[in-house]
Amino acid sequence: NTGYQTYFSRLYRTTNGGSAWQMLPLLNTFIGVWDLFFNNYYTGYAVGGSGNTGLVLIKTMDAGYNWYSQYDSTNGNLSSIQFVNENTGYCVGDFTNGVILKTTTGGRPIGIQPKGTEIPSKFSLSQNYPNPFNPTSKIKFDIPFIGAQYIEPVQLIVYDILGREIAMLVNEELKPGSYEVELNASNFPSGTYFYRLQSRDYTETKKMVLIK
């Protein structure tokens, strides 16, 4: 029942099979969004652009509420995007003679900031700060070096009080290190939430409170 529709620089979302549509205020700084593709409930991509503004290639990991730039160019446009699995995707467009872009990693990591250069000795998930918060809060976590594993598949997921997933903040393969990610809960109601960090052999969950 959930779907999306673009119209120039606007994105509309339905959760009831099209009976009602909600405009998400997130693409008003971009010109000409021509195609979008979601490879799961939370993760989606939009492409477009024009000769005057440059191309648009943006990504969301929270069902369309926040978008992040994925590719930088001052000319051309992208007209279509398609993924064959969670990580491998293609988009096509025109840079005078045409262009094909490919990712095998699901695009660039978004919203994740490495903190320092020291390699942690163990996994850890910090309490978000500030907490309680309104509407943004930051979450720090550590990824250690484990044996021969140089990269670790990591997910950081936010759940509501009923245990329903409401945001996927991180879904990447990360190198060992300390990281920080920001949660923007502008579209969430006040209440208690939980966030969980999970990898191959580690899971930890903490509670946070949103007060508006």
Side-chain angles (χ1 to χ4, degrees):
N1 292 325
T2 299
Y4 298 83
Q5 176 66 50
T6 61
Y7 179 74
F8 290 102
S9 60
R10 299 183 179 92
L11 176 69
Y12 296 86
R13 181 173 186 255
T14 180
T15 56
N16 56 13
S19 297
W21 291 84
Q22 172 194 12
M23 188 176 74
L24 300 180
L26 45 93
L27 297 181
N28 54 4
T29 59
F30 299 98
I31 303 298
V33 177
W34 306 123
D35 194 20
L36 76 162
F37 184 91
F38 276 74
N39 53 20
N40 59 50
Y41 182 83
Y42 296 106
T43 306
Y45 306 80
V47 296
S50 71
N52 295 326
T53 63
L55 67 83
V56 171
L57 173 52
I58 50 179
K59 177 180 179 180
T60 180
M61 290 186 68
D62 57 5
Y65 289 108
N66 293 280
W67 293 82
Y68 301 85
S69 176
Q70 286 284 288
Y71 190 84
D72 298 320
S73 178
T74 58
N75 58 73
N77 64 79
L78 296 170
S79 57
S80 182
I81 186 167
Q82 180 77 35
F83 275 71
V84 297
N85 57 45
E86 290 284 324
N87 294 314
T88 304
Y90 304 82
C91 52
V92 298
D94 180 18
F95 284 85
T96 303
N97 295 315
V99 64
I100 300 175
L101 300 179
K102 177 183 178 181
T103 180
T104 58
T105 61
R108 297 176 182 172
I110 62 175
I112 309 171
Q113 300 295 328
K115 306 294 288 185
T117 59
E118 184 177 348
I119 303 301
S121 60
K122 62 180 181 180
F123 282 102
S124 71
L125 176 64
S126 299
Q127 184 65 51
N128 66 300
Y129 66 96
N131 186 48
F133 68 100
N134 178 30
T136 63
S137 187
K138 294 183 178 181
I139 301 170
K140 291 183 178 180
F141 60 92
D142 292 338
I143 306 298
F145 182 84
I146 303 175
Q149 301 292 341
Y150 186 61
I151 58 174
E152 186 76 10
V154 176
Q155 289 184 331
L156 182 60
I157 306 171
V158 178
Y159 299 88
D160 66 13
I161 193 67
L162 299 178
R164 297 173 298 193
E165 294 186 17
I166 61 169
M168 178 84 72
L169 300 182
V170 178
N171 186 21
E172 311 286 350
E173 291 188 334
L174 298 178
K175 297 178 181 179
S178 297
Y179 295 88
E180 183 178 82
V181 62
E182 183 173 87
L183 167 66
N184 188 331
S186 299
N187 294 288
F188 302 163
S190 297
T192 299
Y193 295 87
F194 299 89
Y195 59 99
R196 184 177 71 191
L197 180 70
Q198 60 186 39
S199 63
R200 289 186 179 95
D201 301 310
Y202 174 84
T203 299
E204 185 173 357
T205 302
K206 290 186 180 293
K207 182 173 68 174
M208 58 185 172
V209 179
L210 172 64
I211 299 177
K212 292 186 174 180

